[in-house]
Amino acid sequence: MDTQESGDLLLPRSRQANERLHAMIPGGAHTYAKGDDQYPDDLAPVISHGRGAHVWDVDGNRYVEYGSGLRSVSLGHAHPRVVEAVRRELDRGSNFVRPSVVEVEAAERFLATVPTAEMVKFAKNGSDVTTAAVRLARAVTGRARVAICGDHPFYSVDDWFIGTTPMSAGVPAATTDLTVAFPYGDLAATEELLTRYRDEVACLILEPATHTEPPPGYLAGLRELADRHGCVLVFDEMITGFRWSEAGAQGLYGVVPDLSTFGKALGNGCAVSALAGRRDLMEWGGLRHSRDRVFLLSTTHGAETHSLAAAMAVQTTYAEEGVTARLHALGERLAAGVRDAAAGMGVADHVVVRGRASNLVFATLDEHRRPSQPYRTLFLRRLLAGGVLAPSFVVSDALSDADIDHTVDVVAQACAVYRKALDAGDPTPWMGGRPVKPVFRRSV
């Protein structure tokens, strides 16, 4: 059985760097989704640098990269407009004892981009702002329970969410018990949940759209349910923000949440996130009211001038260059190519592309069409060997048609190996070691 169809990728320096990472950093990475357990055995590149849609590892290998920065680098690495905006502010100082005028300009620009929001507060990461939204909803409603959409993978590193995952060690059960879940797309089940916990649920929080479009009337129905049951509707727009439209899913689908959270694409890799929403709610975290104060968001680095400048440059680039439309066009070209390649190799039912064109993921299914980590391992291994770094197929604006064509060629080669493994009934000979692992799991 030939397991060497396109050669092996050798990463000696990356392997050494991974060992150094694990010696000093728990998990070997600062984000679990970037861990070497997410990649085939001994094939986790450690990145040296990136430009546009390409990255280079410390061994000198170049890759076409997808899902850049876990979907945050949507314009491509070292985008000139963003780099220049950041450099300009760094030369003027990045953090002061009082607000900078950049904070005013960034807030004005954000609220012009997301006109459904009336106020905004910036922070550094998504967890900051989703937790702030939950805290604000609890303060405003006087209720303790949080209802999350259980079909969506991640909301926050904080206890109210992490306690609901398999990695719940260290989270008190009393905290976890206050978080309940509802299924996406099912208004009747959500209403039943709100009725069961009548007057107890502070907010409904969900990604407004993911790999499938919202069912007709679903988001409007959630809006009506939240109003009728007196809870706050929160849209987590970390991914949908900018990729669905500049104003997020709320701008595309025309349903206005009470609060929404943005991040990822907002800074093109720079650390910036935003909590936005209705003035009457957001002001609870301010000074111009007579109620008890809410500790909404207060972070030393939350308004670093260079990150806010990056966010403004990103918004300008999206608006002036039609980036969202291009992301969709690139994704459609890629999805069509991958589907054709899979069909041509007889694995169309096993290598499956899903999601909105601007936010594509792929599923790797076994001979019974069930999700398979071993087959994912095989697939990732062949992609890496062909110079494609793709934990997903999420595109960036920096991709060229040639990059897409190269990716499709590599996918076709990977699918040829996939077919052989299916025919053999066992992907093990093509995995090169242990299978990749899901991020959220109870044991190492």
Side-chain angles (χ1 to χ4, degrees), residues 378-421:
L378 174 157
F379 191 63
L380 289 176
R381 192 173 191 87
R382 305 327 301 176
L383 294 185
L384 287 163
V388 176
L389 180 58
S392 70
F393 282 143
V394 177
V395 296
S396 77
D397 184 57
L399 287 161
S400 67
D401 288 347
D403 292 327
I404 300 290
D405 292 343
H406 172 71
T407 301
V408 171
D409 287 343
V410 172
V411 167
Q413 296 169 28
C415 287
V417 179
Y418 207 115
R419 182 68 260 171
K420 291 183 179 183

Side-chain angles (χ1 to χ4, degrees), residues 74-419:
S74 60
L75 298 179
H77 299 291
H79 188 276
R81 203 166 191 168
V82 178
V83 169
E84 176 55 32
V86 169
R87 182 179 291 118
R88 184 171 58 248
E89 291 306 325
L90 285 174
D91 286 341
R92 293 159 53 88
S94 62
N95 207 336
F96 311 104
V97 77
R98 280 280 295 147
S100 163
V101 67
V102 175
E103 296 176 48
V104 179
E105 296 165 351
E108 289 173 343
R109 183 59 202 249
F110 181 89
L111 294 173
T113 302
V114 187
T116 43
E118 296 173 325
M119 296 189 83
V120 62
K121 196 155 189 182
F122 296 110
K124 301 311 289 180
N125 60 65
S127 295
D128 290 342
V129 290
T130 53
T131 291
V134 166
R135 185 185 305 115
L136 182 57
R138 283 170 161 166
V140 168
T141 62
R143 301 173 179 178
R145 290 194 188 276
V146 175
I148 64 172
C149 180
D151 297 317
H152 298 162
F154 189 79
Y155 295 99
S156 174
V157 301
D158 294 301
D159 287 1
W160 64 270
F161 171 70
I162 289 298
T164 69
T165 74
M167 294 176 70
S168 60
V171 180
T175 298
T176 304
D177 290 345
L178 293 175
T179 300
V180 294
F182 61 93
Y184 188 78
D186 191 336
L187 290 173
T190 306
E191 182 163 26
E192 190 278 328
L193 181 79
L194 292 171
T195 301
R196 188 190 329 153
Y197 296 108
R198 186 178 300 278
D199 299 330
E200 294 182 35
V201 175
C203 63
L204 301 172
I205 182 169
L206 73 157
E207 295 181 59
T210 53
H211 306 321
T212 58
E213 288 293 291
Y218 174 63
L219 295 179
L222 277 183
R223 174 71 280 173
E224 189 276 330
L225 278 178
D227 290 340
R228 181 149 48 90
H229 287 268
C231 54
V232 175
L233 180 61
V234 183
F235 282 177
D236 178 341
E237 299 249 32
M238 291 297 148
I239 294 172
T240 52
F242 298 95
R243 285 193 177 272
W244 265 241
S245 80
E246 287 86 349
Q250 59 194 282
L252 180 65
Y253 300 121
V255 176
V256 181
D258 299 303
L259 300 171
S260 56
T261 58
F262 287 75
K264 292 192 182 291
L266 180 59
N268 201 53
C270 291
V272 59
S273 60
L275 170 65
R278 286 170 34 195
R279 180 177 301 276
D280 61 320
L281 300 185
M282 296 286 286
E283 280 283 22
W284 281 62
L287 299 174
R288 298 185 174 182
H289 63 83
S290 57
R291 298 177 291 267
D292 289 345
R293 296 186 68 189
V294 174
F295 194 95
L296 185 59
L297 278 167
S298 181
T299 56
T300 298
H301 302 291
E304 286 173 327
T305 57
H306 54 279
S307 292
L308 295 183
M312 287 189 283
V314 167
Q315 290 166 85
T316 299
T317 303
Y318 265 79
E320 294 183 358
E321 299 183 12
V323 172
T324 301
R326 177 167 161 76
L327 292 175
H328 281 87
L330 287 166
E332 287 167 359
R333 179 185 174 98
L334 176 63
V338 170
R339 287 170 181 145
D340 285 348
M345 295 298 171
V347 295
D349 293 332
H350 304 276
V351 176
V352 182
V353 181
R354 296 172 176 164
R356 193 172 183 84
S358 62
N359 189 56
L360 296 171
V361 297
F362 58 82
T364 51
L365 310 181
D366 65 15
E367 55 272 21
H368 304 293
R369 300 181 187 178
R370 296 176 302 205
S372 168
Q373 294 297 102
Y375 277 99
R376 179 176 174 85
T377 308
L378 174 157
F379 191 63
L380 289 176
R381 192 173 191 87
R382 305 327 301 176
L383 294 185
L384 287 163
V388 176
L389 180 58
S392 70
F393 282 143
V394 177
V395 296
S396 77
D397 184 57
L399 287 161
S400 67
D401 288 347
D403 292 327
I404 300 290
D405 292 343
H406 172 71
T407 301
V408 171
D409 287 343
V410 172
V411 167
Q413 296 169 28
C415 287
V417 179
Y418 207 115
R419 182 68 260 171

